[in-house]
Amino acid sequence: MIKPITAGALALAITTTTMVGCKSGEQSTPDFDYTVDRFADIEVLRYQVPGFENLTLNQKLLIYYLTEAAISGRDILWDQNGKYNLALRDMLEQVYESYDGPKDDQQWQAFDKYVKQVWFGNGVHHHYSMDKFVPEFSREWFEGQLSKNDMAKDETLLRVIFDPTFMAKRVNQAEGADLIVTSANNLYEGVTQQEVEAYYNARKDTTDLTPISWGLNARVTKDADGNVVEQVYKVGGLYSDAISRIVELLNKASEYAENDGQREVIKKLVDFYTTGDLKDFDDYSIAWVDETDSQVDFINGFIESYGDPLGMTGAFESIVNFKDIPASKRTETISNNAEWFEQNSPVDPRFRKDKVKGVTAKVITAAILAGDSYPATPIGINLPNANWIRAAHGSKSVTIENITKAYDEASHGNGFNEEFVIDEETSKLLDDYLFITDNLHTDLHECLGHASGRLLPGVDPDALKAHGSTLEEARADLFALYYLADPKLLELGLLDNPDAYKAEYYKYMLNGLMTQLMRIEPGKDVEEAHMRNRKLICEWVYEKGKPENVVELVEKDGKHYVKINDYKRMRELFGELLGEIQRIKSEGDYEAGRDLVETYGVKVDQNLHKEVLDRYAKLNIAPYKGFVNPVYTLVTDDNGNPVDVTITYEEDYPTQMLRYSKQYKTLK
Ligand code: ZN
């Protein structure tokens, strides 16, 4: 599972002076320009790939073909996100490129913003809120542009843009609704939630100890006779043209594999793409987890299921990366002590893992972000997702430090701390220790949190249903929060100050109680799983800590501030909640899980919300950030033999999007 950047982490201005542990050994260019574009609620950044030049030619070529394979899946995600997205993108880009009117025209500017939003969402819905974008240009103006270019006025596409009630939400999680019928994604067609659940329940064998990831690579619809059927993503199946191109490039990459183990991983992925058989996917996942000798690594496939209201179908995603060897010492230390952390956790021993299997952890440098990781991207990855593979083979956990670095650099001096942090002393604490404790939080969340605990025998891993993602993220966050304050981290040399953890505790509470609300529109509730998780944890601790005044919201000059009075007690409360959420997960206690989420994770205090939005608006910070990729160019000699791969960073946001749409068009 992936942890996207938290609002607070990216918004807090950090001037890190005290670095403990390891950071990338590579020097970054001092005058690198991180900001690329700014529109709506989005800031687009670029990231550096330090160390790429020092890789061997073989590694560079391997990365080159893997990045090509990554971007070649772009159209799959667009189509998964909505069945009209590709056609709509063609239409929008044609108008965008042919426009020759004044750039200061209001209609054009609204259109420019809309197209940039659609690119960012990989479709017509916001990548995070899942709501459809609202055009601020008129239908008349747009139809005028279509006429000018002799383009057809496709009624359906026009409705997608201009009718706010049509396909309003990509993923609907509202309790009680038919989540499939009311979600606008293209993972299901003409079927109800009940039909889909009946279809999979009839196939699931609850006694199977190594179940496949049902529905991961399929669109569910009905055949001519009205039977529910899967359309499988594979060569010769749904998305065949895109997948065939990916396979071709993976085979090319395989020629430059670093070793036989890595070659085998690529081969197994190609097998999976060819057969579409989810047993082949499990074989691939196991080979991928076991392969830890290579410096270059990648994910490419149908991975995370946040885009599916039932949490089954994986969105296409790819990240190509290589290990940051000096920085990885930090995560290796955590990983090597996984057993100690598991056995000392504040969780009922019945729900602990007897033996924590090799959680490999490393710090990586991303070389390309693609599919569901582009432009908005995670800062950490922990895969595979299948519970039984994690239990039997462990998982790979990574922190993407060139991305966290870019966030950090881009947030310097944005005024956030001055506005929201209660006093100088706390600001100083954040300046000194937030970068390292935030990175450690991610490491602990990914390396240990998701990997800890076990289900009691016979418990359905999907028992928590729509609340499963929120509770899983809460479990991982609480594991990290609890241990950040443990003296063990000082003993291991990961922190040098017993108070350092307070920086992350403060930021976490500030974010969960207040500042993450800047991402929510007025009047709306919290819906996204990671945000619900943070709100759940913070509101629960706030309430349970009231008798001892552990944390309070104090008012100064009409503004609210988070004030933490008892950090030690706060840690105990994190531990208590971790114990309870692990019990809920281990026992599959749906009712208790739902009650926690509904009581603490969803409802927004309207007055506080308004205050946060007002204060935040004055800072003019984009609540969401994403990235353009660097450009890799294959250099050949006179005989056409590859001699180098060069990397450049100059490409701007529209140029990259338009180029990708042309160069990597794999679906119609
Ligand atoms: Zn997570």
Side-chain angles (χ1 to χ4, degrees):
M1 312 213 178
I2 282 185
K3 181 195 177 201
I5 184 83
T6 62
L10 67 94
L12 280 161
I14 316 158
T15 45
T16 313
T17 46
T18 317
M19 280 305 303
V20 194
C22 303
K23 213 176 159 187
S24 169
E26 307 288 342
Q27 284 302 312
S28 47
T29 330
D31 56 352
F32 189 79
D33 188 5
Y34 285 93
T35 302
V36 179
D37 214 328
R38 176 78 171 84
F39 51 90
D41 53 358
I42 304 288
E43 184 178 5
V44 180
L45 307 173
R46 52 168 68 88
Y47 60 95
Q48 300 193 72
V49 188
F52 181 78
E53 281 87 355
N54 303 333
L55 298 172
T56 66
L57 177 59
N58 251 33
Q59 287 175 317
K60 287 182 187 174
L61 290 166
L62 172 62
I63 287 175
Y64 176 78
Y65 287 108
L66 290 174
T67 60
E68 289 287 302
I71 310 170
S72 296
R74 180 174 182 249
D75 285 359
I76 297 176
L77 180 75
W78 279 73
D79 195 68
Q80 286 183 300
N81 284 348
K83 66 176 169 179
Y84 302 112
N85 279 338
L86 289 171
L88 191 85
R89 189 182 76 193
D90 281 349
M91 182 167 85
L92 294 174
E93 289 180 350
Q94 226 179 309
V95 171
Y96 194 87
E97 289 194 284
S98 62
Y99 180 78
D100 56 4
K103 293 281 158 108
D104 58 356
D105 178 75
Q106 245 180 23
Q107 293 288 331
W108 162 258
Q109 288 188 345
F111 178 70
D112 177 66
K113 172 175 153 186
Y114 180 79
V115 174
K116 286 176 174 176
Q117 285 179 297
V118 172
W119 281 329
F120 201 90
N122 293 293
V124 290
H125 300 93
H126 193 280
H127 71 288
Y128 210 79
S129 75
M130 307 285 176
D131 293 327
K132 201 166 73 166
F133 298 120
V134 179
E136 291 164 9
F137 52 94
S138 71
R139 181 166 174 149
E140 293 66 40
W141 179 86
F142 187 67
E143 289 192 17
Q145 297 298 316
L146 294 179
S147 300
K148 251 194 208 165
N149 293 294
D150 298 320
M151 289 166 65
K153 287 174 190 160
D154 185 309
E155 273 308 315
T156 311
L157 294 184
L158 288 168
R159 198 175 164 210
V160 174
I161 301 175
F162 294 104
D163 179 354
T165 63
F166 183 52
M167 306 182 87
K169 200 155 187 94
R170 176 150 71 83
V171 185
N172 183 26
Q173 297 280 17
E175 181 91 10
D178 183 315
L179 302 182
I180 288 185
V181 172
T182 56
S183 294
N185 66 52
N186 188 25
L187 308 175
Y188 302 94
E189 177 75 22
V191 285
T192 66
Q193 181 176 352
Q194 213 178 8
E195 285 169 333
V196 173
E197 285 174 348
Y199 176 85
Y200 284 110
N201 286 339
R203 280 156 183 81
K204 276 186 189 174
D205 171 4
T206 49
T207 62
D208 186 355
L209 297 175
T210 59
I212 57 168
S213 302
W214 290 98
L216 187 74
N217 63 337
R219 184 172 185 263
V220 178
T221 184
K222 281 186 184 160
D223 65 12
D225 302 324
N227 302 310
V228 176
V229 289
E230 283 189 331
Q231 296 174 319
V232 177
Y233 308 157
K234 62 172 185 168
V235 174
L238 193 56
Y239 303 140
S240 184
D241 290 348
I243 294 172
S244 300
R245 177 69 184 143
I246 293 170
V247 163
E248 204 178 299
L249 289 158
L250 288 173
N251 284 330
K252 192 77 192 152
S254 171
E255 294 173 23
Y256 303 101
E258 291 178 78
N259 51 53
D260 289 344
Q262 189 174 52
R263 200 166 288 115
E264 187 63 16
V265 170
I266 298 173
K267 184 189 166 296
K268 283 184 187 297
L269 180 57
V270 167
D271 287 348
F272 167 62
Y273 275 141
T274 308
T275 65
D277 185 338
L278 287 167
K279 282 224 177 338
D280 287 343
F281 180 69
D282 287 345
D283 284 350
Y284 153 74
S285 297
I286 292 165
W288 178 77
V289 168
D290 287 344
E291 203 289 289
T292 53
D293 293 336
S294 311
Q295 189 181 2
V296 176
D297 202 354
F298 71 103
I299 56 169
N300 182 309
F302 309 105
I303 316 278
E304 300 291 347
S305 54
Y306 301 109
D308 176 357
L310 299 187
M312 294 191 294
T313 311
F316 178 83
E317 177 183 3
S318 185
I319 296 179
V320 181
N321 64 81
F322 56 94
K323 186 174 176 180
D324 179 339
I325 292 167
S328 293
K329 292 215 163 53
R330 186 184 74 219
T331 46
E332 277 157 13
T333 302
I334 291 172
S335 229
N336 292 340
N337 289 277
E339 190 68 31
W340 185 91
F341 286 103
E342 182 75 1
Q343 299 319 328
N344 288 278
S345 82
V347 157
D348 187 322
R350 290 184 301 138
F351 309 140
R352 288 184 199 144
K353 278 206 176 83
D354 292 335
K355 193 126 192 64
V356 186
K357 282 252 180 171
V359 189
T360 62
K362 56 185 177 178
V363 176
I364 59 166
T365 303
I368 208 86
L369 309 167
D372 208 24
S373 287
Y374 170 87
T377 198
I379 54 172
I381 305 174
N382 184 303
L383 290 171
N385 281 331
N387 278 312
W388 71 266
I389 299 181
R390 300 167 74 87
H393 299 269
S395 58
K396 269 189 197 172
S397 180
V398 303
T399 304
I400 314 174
E401 208 139 294
N402 60 330
I403 297 296
T404 58
K405 177 89 159 68
Y407 281 130
D408 180 33
E409 294 284 339
S411 72
H412 277 287
N414 64 8
F416 183 92
N417 281 8
E418 291 74 7
E419 179 59 41
F420 287 105
V421 176
I422 187 160
D423 52 31
E424 277 294 307
E425 192 193 341
T426 311
S427 282
K428 170 90 168 67
L429 187 71
L430 297 177
D431 282 349
D432 288 349
Y433 286 104
L434 189 57
F435 189 77
I436 180 62
T437 53
D438 222 21
N439 278 334
L440 276 169
H441 181 273
T442 307
D443 298 339
L444 292 163
H445 174 113
E446 301 291 354
C447 306
L448 304 178
H450 281 308
S452 78
R454 65 166 173 188
L455 303 183
L456 292 184
V459 170
D460 179 356
D462 300 326
L464 304 177
K465 296 184 201 168
H467 304 301
S469 300
T470 298
L471 293 164
E472 175 57 23
E473 292 311 319
R475 199 173 71 89
D477 262 1
L478 286 163
F479 201 96
L481 289 165
Y482 180 78
Y483 276 120
L484 262 179
D486 201 288
K488 186 78 177 174
L489 297 195
L490 279 91
E491 191 190 302
L492 294 172
L494 297 168
L495 289 171
D496 68 352
N497 183 332
D499 291 328
Y501 76 93
K502 293 177 182 173
E504 179 69 12
Y505 275 27
Y506 189 83
K507 185 226 83 180
Y508 196 91
M509 293 304 290
L510 173 61
N511 190 35
L513 289 174
M514 288 180 59
T515 51
Q516 73 166 355
L517 293 175
M518 76 205 178
R519 296 173 153 211
I520 308 281
E521 282 176 42
K524 296 217 162 135
D525 286 332
V526 178
E527 296 189 33
E528 196 275 335
H530 294 82
M531 287 182 74
R532 282 188 167 185
N533 135 51
R534 292 192 283 264
K535 184 162 164 13
L536 188 171
I537 292 174
C538 296
E539 298 276 353
W540 189 92
V541 166
Y542 178 75
E543 191 181 297
K544 300 293 168 190
K546 261 187 187 159
E548 299 151 284
N549 202 20
V550 174
V551 53
E552 56 186 327
L553 282 176
V554 296
E555 203 179 328
K556 284 197 283 187
D557 308 325
K559 293 176 177 180
H560 288 86
Y561 296 87
V562 170
K563 182 162 183 272
I564 299 180
N565 299 310
D566 191 343
Y567 281 95
K568 287 211 162 61
R569 180 67 189 133
M570 179 170 277
R571 185 197 183 207
E572 290 167 11
L573 289 169
F574 285 144
E576 275 175 40
L577 185 57
L578 173 59
E580 171 61 4
I581 289 182
Q582 182 61 56
R583 181 198 67 75
I584 287 169
K585 169 135 180 158
S586 293
E587 295 179 349
D589 186 345
Y590 173 78
E591 280 75 23
R594 181 201 55 207
D595 287 351
L596 266 186
V597 175
E598 296 285 335
T599 310
Y600 298 103
V602 181
K603 286 273 167 279
V604 174
D605 177 324
Q606 299 299 328
N607 291 330
L608 187 62
H609 189 189
K610 184 175 181 320
E611 180 194 317
V612 169
L613 290 175
D614 289 347
R615 288 166 70 185
Y616 200 76
K618 291 201 191 94
L619 300 175
N620 196 28
I621 301 170
Y624 302 97
K625 293 180 171 60
F627 292 89
V628 291
N629 283 311
V631 181
Y632 296 91
T633 308
L634 188 62
V635 184
T636 52
D637 65 15
D638 293 343
N639 302 319
N641 300 314
V643 292
D644 199 6
V645 177
T646 58
I647 182 168
T648 53
Y649 299 101
E650 285 80 34
E651 197 164 42
D652 69 27
Y653 177 63
T655 309
Q656 180 154 99
M657 288 295 174
L658 291 166
R659 181 172 68 85
Y660 280 6
S661 295
K662 291 190 182 68
Q663 202 173 327
Y664 302 95
K665 189 174 179 57
T666 50
L667 296 174
K668 291 225 163 40

